[in-house]
Amino acid sequence: MNNSLKQQRLISDLLVNGTLLLICLVWTIPTFGVFVSSFRTRDDITQTGWWTIFTNPTTLATLNLDNYSNVLTGKEYVYKSPSGEEKTEKGPNLSMNFINSLTVTIPATLIPILIAAFAAYGFAWMNFPGRKIFFVIVVALLVVPLQIALIPVLRDYTKLNLNGTFLAIWLAHTGFGLPLAIYLLFNYISQLPRDIIESAFIDGASHFTIFTKLIMPLSTPALASFGIFQFLWVWNDLLVALVFLGSKPEVSVLQQQLQNLVGTKGQDWHLLTAGAFVTMFVPLLVFFSLQRYFVRGLLAGSVKG
Amino acid sequence: MWLIFIWLRDSKASKPVIAVVAIIWGVGGVGLLFVISNWVVEQLPMKWMRFLQPYVFVGPALAILSWYLAIPTFRTLVLSLYDAAGVNFVGLDNYIFAFTDASMLESFRNNSLWLVVGTSMSVILGLLIAVLADRSKFETIAKSLIFLPMAISFVGAGVIWRFVYFYKPAGQQQIGLLNAIVTAFGGDPVGWLTVRPWNNFLLIIILIWLQTGFAMVLLSAALKGVPSELMEAARMDGATEIQIFFNIIIPYIQGTIVSVSTTILIATLKIFDIVFVMTNGLYGTEVMASQQYKQMFKFQHFGHGSAVAIVLLVAVIPVMVYNLKQFREREAF
């Protein structure tokens, strides 16, 4: 009896872990394949599958960082075309797009946090005419698809001559991120203990002082959670960048450039694979170092139902 | 401030310098806006200050929300009743186009497929993985691996999956994983992304790959909230694990399942990048958001583009109403 129970447990353990392992493999292999490919030579990528490094370990020696230096520096590289002649092509300069992506993403993350934190405090701890109706509007806007805004805002930008500027895309991302930001930060800030704020008031602190000296430091976990969200969302965004930054190469961000590579040089796998990982580097870094905050943010957001 | 903006726009200074100046200018500018407007208001008589200060706090947020979301909703509604350039009133013509044009009907069909298959599979797989991980010793690492794609952009995911679906004519060595498997079993390679209507499912798999981690994290947290006494009691009464799952766990985490499904549903409704990068809407894979983009930029038809956007908006109105109802029931406000 006891023995058969043990056996049963063993089988179910095996079943659980086995299935889980299988799912994890399926989930990881596509990324892993591109990762391996990004170190292979141009010819190897187009002629043999990436799994060759396992079936034929001698090819391990050919792995190198050339693809990365090609996509990052925009220098020219030479390769043999199928017909045998040598061709020279200029690699894309992703390091420029990388800087652009940072220039877009950092303010487009910090500005909405700042504006939303002020607003969340206002909604939570100040009384003013219109408070309720304005907040209802914020809740209503939570699910409005940003597609609704593209045409009108684009027309405004054309009139204001803002198209293709960083300011334009910061404000757009701020606008699209604000409802969630206000909502999440309001949930957090309105739950802070009333006594702290009231005693600060009695000590003669102004709203502004309470906000900057008390609320902001206390809200760091909530600010960080939303910040990670917004950062990943802006960094990974393609649509808003396409619409408001346009195709000017000096402002285009990584996602646009990677999409260009897929479109125009879909066969240049060595550029695509390395480009994909250059694009993913920052999000993966953020993801691994701040995963706990990220998960916490997800859980907080899910309360909205 | 304006001068710096002009300088930033036209300057030929080196890239990193511009970037740093731009970031400081942008973020600092917004901070300064709050500091200055608050200072001005605090100089006013007490009565005025009391009245105006809340608007210093919420005003900028309200202004931006109005400009970028609230008012555009109405402007898009108006534009959807006008012609391509937004000049002549055409009544409901754009909506007639939206509901009769062959490519639009195709994108409605595909979008429904995305919504049903993409959402249900993400949630079901997420739940399955959450349950398995809960019973496994490798919970943390397994969850990290499944969750990882959440950090990858749609474009990046597109590159990754192109490598899986890649096709080379028969006889050549396949470099796409899927075709390599097919040919290893003696089959003929398939141009996966061109096979209608199945290519839609292959694109949806990418979404499932990206979204399952999200569902898993939330459902896993909900699972941990199911009281273990409840399950122990059921086990004592001789319930099987499967009965426990369907009769205790599922009802217990129902609320989370609904909210996870809604969130994925809304994200799926607006799906754009995957289609844009993988097929650009060719081979019968168009969806609503890619249609909207095409109408707007390729055909420069603002009327059609706006009508499609309004259809997207109408589709989320039930969720909006639900959110507002939930909000009203909360006593916090």
Side-chain angles (χ1 to χ4, degrees):
Chain A
M1 174 68 193
N2 207 359
N3 229 355
S4 84
L5 243 173
K6 241 183 209 161
Q7 226 167 9
Q8 220 176 359
R9 183 151 300 166
L10 196 72
I11 291 174
S12 88
D13 257 12
L14 225 68
L15 209 65
V16 165
N17 287 316
T19 320
L20 199 60
L21 182 72
L22 190 74
I23 296 177
C24 286
L25 275 178
V26 171
W27 236 253
T28 320
I29 283 175
T31 320
F32 181 73
V34 175
F35 185 65
V36 170
S37 300
S38 70
F39 298 106
R40 304 178 78 213
T41 65
R42 185 178 198 282
D43 293 339
D44 280 352
I45 295 180
T46 49
Q47 281 158 18
T48 55
W50 55 266
W51 48 88
T52 315
I53 63 157
F54 295 113
T55 55
N56 183 5
T58 52
T59 53
L60 276 172
T62 62
L63 299 185
N64 60 68
L65 288 168
D66 284 0
N67 296 335
Y68 286 93
S69 66
N70 270 333
V71 295
L72 281 174
T73 56
K75 72 172 185 205
E76 297 188 333
Y77 60 93
V78 182
Y79 69 93
K80 274 210 180 81
S81 70
S83 52
E85 59 187 309
E86 294 217 326
K87 275 190 176 175
T88 311
E89 269 207 40
K90 203 169 159 0
N93 186 356
L94 284 186
S95 54
M96 197 179 80
N97 304 104
F98 195 89
I99 294 173
N100 284 338
S101 273
L102 283 176
T103 318
V104 167
T105 311
I106 294 174
T109 308
L110 293 178
I111 294 173
I113 289 183
L114 194 61
I115 294 181
F118 268 101
Y121 177 84
F123 280 120
W125 298 104
M126 292 166 125
N127 223 335
F128 55 93
R131 172 172 167 268
K132 181 150 193 187
I133 181 73
F134 285 137
F135 201 78
V136 167
I137 292 175
V138 171
V139 173
L141 290 177
L142 272 175
V143 291
V144 168
L146 64 89
Q147 271 87 358
I148 206 90
L150 297 181
I151 297 175
V153 174
L154 190 65
R155 296 180 119 202
D156 292 345
Y157 279 175
T158 311
K159 271 189 211 129
L160 295 169
N161 209 5
L162 271 179
N163 270 330
T165 63
F166 288 130
L167 180 64
I169 193 157
W170 294 340
L171 289 174
H173 276 304
T174 302
F176 303 144
L178 264 184
L180 185 64
I182 297 176
Y183 188 78
L184 289 181
L185 295 181
F186 172 82
N187 282 346
Y188 190 88
I189 291 176
S190 63
Q191 301 292 318
L192 292 173
R194 179 168 276 275
D195 337 348
I196 305 183
I197 291 152
E198 272 171 1
S199 62
F201 248 128
I202 293 167
D203 291 346
S206 70
H207 273 301
F208 199 79
T209 327
I210 293 178
F211 176 77
T212 47
K213 296 268 157 66
L214 208 61
I215 301 293
M216 283 299 254
L218 281 177
S219 313
T220 320
L223 300 177
S225 298
F226 174 76
I228 296 166
F229 253 118
Q230 178 78 358
F231 186 92
L232 287 180
W233 154 244
V234 174
W235 185 276
N236 287 340
D237 157 80
L238 174 68
L239 180 59
V240 178
L242 278 178
V243 174
F244 296 125
L245 279 181
S247 48
K248 277 197 289 183
E250 60 288 4
V251 288
S252 67
V253 294
L254 276 175
Q255 306 296 339
Q256 286 172 289
Q257 182 67 23
L258 188 60
Q259 188 261 322
N260 270 340
L261 286 179
V262 177
T264 57
K265 301 184 171 171
Q267 311 308 319
D268 283 351
W269 285 106
H270 60 302
L271 301 180
L272 271 181
T273 52
F277 272 92
V278 169
T279 314
M280 286 189 264
F281 175 70
V282 172
L284 288 181
L285 194 73
V286 170
F287 177 81
F288 279 119
S289 51
L290 300 167
Q291 196 175 5
R292 187 176 312 156
Y293 280 107
F294 188 58
V295 169
R296 200 181 294 166
L298 277 180
L299 295 176
S302 76
V303 183
K304 78 172 183 252
Chain B
M1 287 319 268
W2 188 248
L3 284 176
I4 300 178
F5 175 71
I6 300 289
W7 178 79
L8 282 172
R9 199 180 54 187
D10 304 333
S11 161
K12 296 279 176 284
S14 83
K15 202 76 204 171
V17 175
I18 296 189
V20 170
V21 174
I23 291 169
I24 295 171
W25 175 78
V27 180
V30 175
L32 219 58
L33 177 83
F34 280 108
V35 173
I36 292 175
S37 58
N38 184 69
W39 182 81
V40 169
V41 167
E42 282 186 348
Q43 303 313 304
L44 296 172
M46 195 62 179
K47 202 179 119 198
W48 281 100
M49 187 196 105
R50 279 261 168 86
F51 179 74
L52 284 177
Q53 201 177 29
Y55 297 103
V56 170
F57 277 64
V58 297
L62 294 178
I64 290 188
L65 280 179
S66 316
W67 183 14
Y68 285 92
L69 283 172
I71 297 172
T73 307
F74 298 100
R75 292 171 69 192
T76 301
L77 188 64
V78 172
L79 276 174
S80 74
L81 303 173
Y82 282 79
D83 64 357
V87 181
N88 301 307
F89 185 78
V90 294
L92 292 176
D93 278 8
N94 293 320
Y95 290 95
I96 293 172
F97 162 85
F99 289 108
T100 53
D101 183 75
S103 69
M104 279 305 300
L105 293 177
E106 174 195 298
S107 62
F108 280 132
R109 187 202 67 191
N110 292 343
N111 238 133
S112 327
L113 210 62
W114 278 86
L115 289 174
V116 174
V117 180
T119 310
S120 59
M121 285 308 290
S122 303
V123 175
I124 291 170
L125 271 171
L127 186 57
L128 176 73
I129 297 166
V131 171
L132 290 177
D134 203 31
R135 285 145 198 254
S136 164
K137 290 183 208 90
F138 315 104
E139 178 168 6
T140 328
I141 183 159
K143 276 159 83 173
S144 275
L145 284 176
I146 307 290
F147 194 46
L148 181 82
M150 279 287 293
I152 297 175
S153 69
F154 288 119
V155 188
V159 172
I160 289 173
W161 284 86
R162 276 183 135 219
F163 231 66
V164 175
Y165 296 145
F166 196 70
Y167 163 75
K168 275 187 166 189
Q172 295 184 30
Q173 193 174 4
Q174 296 297 327
I175 61 165
L177 187 62
L178 209 49
N179 274 326
I181 294 172
V182 168
T183 47
F185 284 106
D188 282 330
V190 183
W192 298 104
L193 291 175
T194 57
V195 191
R196 303 166 201 241
W198 305 108
N199 50 5
N200 281 301
F201 288 97
L202 296 174
L203 297 185
I204 295 173
I205 287 177
I206 305 176
L207 176 91
I208 298 171
W209 182 71
L210 288 164
Q211 295 284 344
T212 297
F214 166 76
M216 177 204 68
V217 165
L218 293 183
L219 293 169
S220 171
L223 277 180
K224 306 240 184 269
V226 181
S228 51
E229 307 90 64
L230 207 61
M231 298 200 282
E232 278 311 315
R235 277 195 197 106
M236 289 290 181
D237 292 343
T240 63
E241 289 300 310
I242 292 174
Q243 278 174 331
I244 292 177
F245 180 74
F246 283 105
N247 296 329
I248 296 179
I249 296 182
I250 294 270
Y252 205 89
I253 61 170
Q254 211 172 23
T256 312
I257 296 181
V258 171
S259 70
V260 168
S261 309
T262 336
T263 312
I264 298 183
L265 215 57
I266 291 177
T268 311
L269 184 73
K270 300 184 286 188
I271 199 77
F272 162 77
D273 318 41
I274 294 182
V275 174
F276 189 71
V277 175
M278 295 295 286
T279 61
N280 199 7
L282 297 171
Y283 320 118
T285 56
E286 203 80 79
V287 289
M288 271 149 74
S290 65
Q291 269 287 345
Q292 197 230 2
Y293 184 84
K294 211 173 248 181
Q295 291 296 342
M296 245 164 48
F297 290 101
K298 197 170 162 205
F299 305 133
Q300 302 278 330
H301 201 306
F302 283 180
H304 285 171
S306 301
V308 180
I310 292 293
V311 174
L312 281 175
L313 177 71
V314 170
V316 298
I317 282 182
V319 183
M320 193 192 286
V321 171
Y322 176 80
N323 276 351
L324 287 173
K325 235 170 91 189
Q326 291 283 97
F327 173 71
R328 197 167 301 166
E329 280 165 15
R330 261 180 35 177
E331 297 193 358
F333 224 79

